[in-house]
Amino acid sequence: MITTHNLGAQNSLLNQFISEIRNTDIQNDPMRFRRNMERIGEVFAYEISKTLSYEKKKIATPLGKAEMNLLKQQPVLAVILRAGLPLHQGLLNYFDKADNAFVSAFRKHDVEGNFEIQIDYMTSPELKNRTLIIVDPMLATGKSMVLAYKELLTMGTPKHTHIVSIIAATEGIEYAQKYLPPAKCTLWLGAVDQELTAQSYIVPGLGDAGDLAYGAKLQE
């Protein structure tokens, strides 16, 4: 089974940030919404950093040399567009030397309202034996994340993948557990909600994260 960390189950400021992106009064301010997403990303970055590999290095100070434990290798930060961009920026604020990958995934609806996930675009550095961090603010059905992960594997197999979502549905977690390799993936979540609507939106969730961050899109 994939190791899962639900950071929202602990008492920390993270829950304040999550409460604000859920709150209909506060989330009407797109700048505040994006900034809270970014702050959440920074919390995830800090927590994930504790699991990575370090090595001792000596650095010169004005008065001598100090031995520090520093990252052996920078991770690759991958984001599922467009909703994940502020969350991605939060992780990039801390992993500021990381390489980056971008995946455009979207729901293609048919006339009956059903949909399938399609990948429109992907760009990434070499991933072989790298640490990969994939971010998407909502893990609803889990299908977008699994499809993005498989698409990224065309660039090489990472030594480990950390998957970050602010809010996950139980169904999405179960899907990820079923279709992602347990020894090579870790889930990092901010909150777990139990319900999905018929349109596969998380309840209570927060609505459409992409629209809240960047404005409503034209529906097909």
Side-chain angles (χ1 to χ4, degrees), residues 44-54 71 94-95 133 188:
F44 278 119
Y46 176 72
E47 293 297 329
I48 292 172
S49 74
K50 298 177 184 178
T51 71
L52 304 181
S53 298
Y54 291 77
L71 275 178
Y94 279 23
F95 293 116
I133 303 174
W188 296 84

Side-chain angles (χ1 to χ4, degrees), residues 47-81:
E47 293 297 329
I48 292 172
S49 74
K50 298 177 184 178
T51 71
L52 304 181
S53 298
Y54 291 77
E55 59 185 351
K56 293 185 181 297
K57 288 188 177 180
K58 289 184 177 181
I59 61 169
T61 79
L63 299 175
K65 291 186 181 294
E67 190 171 72
M68 305 290 297
N69 288 331
L70 302 177
L71 275 178
K72 279 187 177 182
Q73 183 188 57
Q74 290 290 327
V76 177
L77 305 181
V79 57
I80 299 178
L81 302 174

Side-chain angles (χ1 to χ4, degrees), residues 27 29-31 33-35 37-38 79-89 137 208-217:
Q27 67 178 200
D29 180 351
M31 184 170 68
F33 185 85
R34 292 192 300 270
R35 178 60 187 130
M37 294 263 284
E38 191 174 331
V79 57
I80 299 178
L81 302 174
R82 66 178 168 150
L85 285 171
L87 182 61
H88 172 264
Q89 183 60 53
D208 190 306
D211 286 359
L212 290 165
Y214 297 112
K217 56 188 174 294

